[in-house]
Amino acid sequence: MKAHDGMYIDGAWRDADGRDAIDVVNPADGQVIGQVPAGTALDVDTAVRAARAALPGWSATPPAERAARLSALRDVLVARKDEIAEMITAELGSPLKFSQAVHAAAPIAVAGSYAELAATYAFEEKVGNSVVHHEPIGVVGAITPWNYPLHQIVAKVAPALAAGCTIVLKPAEDTPLTAQLFAEAVHEAGVPAGVFNLVTGLGPVAGQALAEHPGVDLVSFTGSTAVGRRIGAAAGAAVKRVALELGGKSANVILPSADLAKAVNVGVANVMSNSGQTCSAWTRMLVHRDQYDEAVALAAEAAAKYGDRIGPLVNAKQQERVRGYIEKGVAEGARLVAGGPEAPREEGCYVSPTVFADVTEDMTIAQEEIFGPVLSILRYDDEEEALRIANGTVYGLAGAVWAGDEAEAVAFARRMDTGQVDINGGRFNPLAPFGGYKQSGVGRELGLHGLTEYLQTKSLQF
Ligand code: NAP
Ligand code: MG
């Protein structure tokens, strides 16, 4: 795989400050596929200075021209979509079909949506005797994870560019090649030097330096709640804006009137997709006691079919972590009906698609984000209990409700403490605000709501 041995700063690939490098490993076979430089605090500082210097020019660039650059970026992502998909398959391990259909395609839709929003958004509005200007917040420090390597970058960079912000990105150490490819795409799209900058490196070094840099006006972070909490605390102390997209433990609530087979099958597919490494995955399935045994049998059967169709986890550490959770589920008394802690293959970071029945609310596997292909099925007696269980975690990112009658599902969804709910299998919408209630985060990404995260208002009175 093609790798740059420098940082993309101020419109060019420049030598890194230090000599340390990060090996990029393909988790399907353990092969090292490339190396990128491990950025230091000095690299971050150079990048932030470049972003700060580019801010006056870019923020004063007419929105129509910013839209044109975003549109060009979208076109480059289209032209290079096969290369992107292959890169993500190599770094993350996801099956090529999934990389094409989701990892490469979603960023194209999101970049396109922000080209349109930049062109049409009212950056100026009249309110009584005031004119309110929606101005860019400034320099953005973006820190992204590896599970949707390009989507999570574009979900921050595209709205920031549309708003007139400049950016320094620190991508996940496991998927830096995709980030380098994205930097090439930004360059090809004619985005001016310094507007977008890339510093590869380790979270506690480059990531922390970026989050704490006084020249950064907004930190936008996606990843674990543990790191997000620290970034939020540091931002609070610095009186700096922060956006946090954190974990989830989303409930898939199957009401008694639902089409049970459909709800269970779509629910299993949702959890196994991307090998369970999705923050919005419906990892808790809630089923009425009268349908419970049937649902468990259907889920076990569906999971067994995924055996050869899912990729490995991103690295050996995540594989160990997920297998540890499966062992914990068994130890706490849940009943394995598919999969288990044993690695299904000798080579690669694979985990078997796993389904637990007889899971109760208090179990670790019902409360903590596992981030692997592991589904917990819980039993409820009535709708009030289902609601209590659905809302009974510290998270609130996503969810699903299934019912024979759409209005019944909507009524239940309105009582859920969560940022997104799919009704009877409703599709992902790249324009709908995405983000969490409770400890799933602060702020929203995507669409119009994602754009306004990168804006602040100035009111002029007449
Ligand atoms: P993570 O450590 O939170 O990583 C997310 C990003 O933050 C990466 O770019 C990471 O760099 C960086 N980072 C790490 N420590 C940092 C620090 N002290 N200051 C600033 N940035 C820092 O997540 P992870 O270790 O990759 O995954 C652990 C767990 O997090 C998963 O099992 C899952 O439960 C959760 N997770 C959630 C999401 C989500 O979308 N909500 C995504 C990924 C992971 P490095 O790459 O160098 O670590
Ligand atoms: Mg980490």
Side-chain angles (χ1 to χ4, degrees):
M1 291 274 142
K2 197 172 113 196
H4 293 274
D5 54 13
M7 307 289 183
Y8 183 75
I9 295 177
D10 204 16
W13 293 93
R14 288 166 203 281
D15 286 347
D17 166 46
R19 282 163 180 252
D20 289 351
I22 297 169
D23 282 342
V24 186
V25 176
N26 182 336
D29 58 14
Q31 297 297 311
V32 175
I33 57 170
Q35 262 200 345
V36 300
T40 64
L42 190 63
D43 291 313
V44 168
D45 186 59
T46 309
V48 172
R49 284 170 195 276
R52 171 90 21 224
L55 183 63
W58 184 246
S59 62
T61 299
E65 169 58 16
R66 300 203 299 257
R69 290 307 110 225
L70 279 160
S71 187
L73 175 60
R74 180 202 166 273
D75 292 347
V76 179
L77 297 179
V78 171
R80 301 184 67 174
K81 66 179 178 5
D82 292 338
E83 200 186 333
I84 290 168
E86 281 162 26
M87 184 73 92
I88 293 177
T89 287
E91 281 192 316
L92 178 66
S94 52
L96 189 59
K97 270 193 184 154
F98 189 77
S99 297
Q100 289 163 335
V102 177
H103 290 301
I108 292 170
V110 173
S113 76
Y114 282 109
E116 195 166 323
L117 275 163
T120 55
Y121 185 72
F123 287 93
E124 218 183 291
E125 60 176 324
K126 259 198 121 249
V127 181
N129 65 313
S130 304
V131 172
V132 179
H133 293 269
H134 297 255
E135 299 188 339
I137 188 97
V139 174
V140 173
I143 301 173
T144 55
W146 40 262
N147 55 329
Y148 288 85
L150 188 58
H151 171 70
Q152 279 144 338
I153 289 173
V154 174
K156 298 186 192 309
V157 174
L161 291 176
C165 293
T166 59
I167 304 127
V168 177
L169 167 68
K170 203 302 280 180
E173 70 190 80
D174 288 296
T175 53
L177 299 177
T178 301
Q180 289 191 339
L181 209 162
F182 177 72
E184 289 179 6
V186 170
H187 191 83
E188 272 179 60
V191 174
V195 170
F196 169 82
N197 307 275
L198 170 69
V199 176
T200 51
L202 302 179
V205 183
Q208 193 162 329
L210 182 59
E212 291 175 352
H213 198 294
V216 169
D217 300 298
L218 160 69
V219 182
S220 180
F221 170 84
T222 300
S224 64
T225 300
V227 175
R229 195 189 304 279
R230 290 176 50 188
I231 287 177
V239 197
K240 183 184 285 192
R241 272 251 284 263
V242 66
L244 304 171
E245 293 292 340
L246 308 176
K249 192 73 193 175
S250 296
N252 178 13
V253 182
I254 304 176
L255 294 175
S257 61
D259 175 342
L260 185 69
K262 185 174 178 202
V264 170
N265 281 307
V266 175
V268 170
N270 175 284
V271 173
M272 301 309 163
S273 158
N274 210 35
S275 304
Q277 303 167 120
T278 304
C279 47
S280 55
W282 309 332
T283 49
R284 297 180 298 144
M285 184 181 284
L286 276 54
V287 183
H288 189 270
R289 61 158 188 255
D290 292 345
Q291 296 168 314
Y292 192 79
D293 292 339
E294 192 185 347
V296 167
L298 285 165
E301 196 186 323
K305 282 191 276 187
Y306 281 86
D308 285 333
R309 279 197 276 151
I310 66 170
L313 298 196
V314 67
N315 58 37
K317 191 175 146 208
Q318 286 297 117
Q319 182 193 29
E320 272 323 295
R321 194 183 128 101
V322 172
R323 289 168 63 188
Y325 271 115
I326 297 173
E327 279 163 1
K328 188 134 200 185
V330 173
E332 290 184 1
R335 175 165 56 100
L336 264 180
V337 295
E342 301 80 24
R345 306 186 199 185
E346 265 181 33
E347 189 180 70
C349 306
Y350 290 85
V351 171
S352 295
T354 296
V355 177
F356 277 110
D358 299 342
V359 178
T360 55
E361 271 180 277
D362 51 310
M363 289 181 187
T364 306
I365 57 167
Q367 290 294 329
E368 294 184 14
E369 182 174 54
I370 298 173
F371 233 58
V374 183
L375 171 67
S376 294
I377 312 184
L378 294 93
R379 191 186 272 107
Y380 68 83
D381 284 344
D382 56 38
E383 224 175 89
E384 289 311 306
E385 188 180 26
L387 186 71
R388 189 177 52 72
I389 296 171
N391 288 339
T393 76
V394 297
Y395 294 114
L397 189 55
V401 183
W402 302 80
D405 173 28
E406 197 170 281
E408 185 193 352
V410 169
F412 191 96
R414 292 297 304 273
R415 297 169 74 198
M416 290 168 78
D417 300 332
T418 191
Q420 284 219 347
V421 185
D422 296 344
I423 304 295
N424 283 338
R427 279 174 304 116
F428 177 73
N429 175 1
L431 291 174
F434 183 93
Y437 279 35
K438 301 191 283 185
Q439 288 182 32
S440 286
V442 176
R444 295 290 179 269
E445 293 197 311
L446 305 181
L448 183 63
H449 295 79
L451 176 63
T452 59
E453 292 281 323
Y454 295 90
L455 294 167
Q456 58 190 342
T457 57
K458 179 183 286 169
S459 306
L460 305 183
Q461 284 62 245
F462 295 90

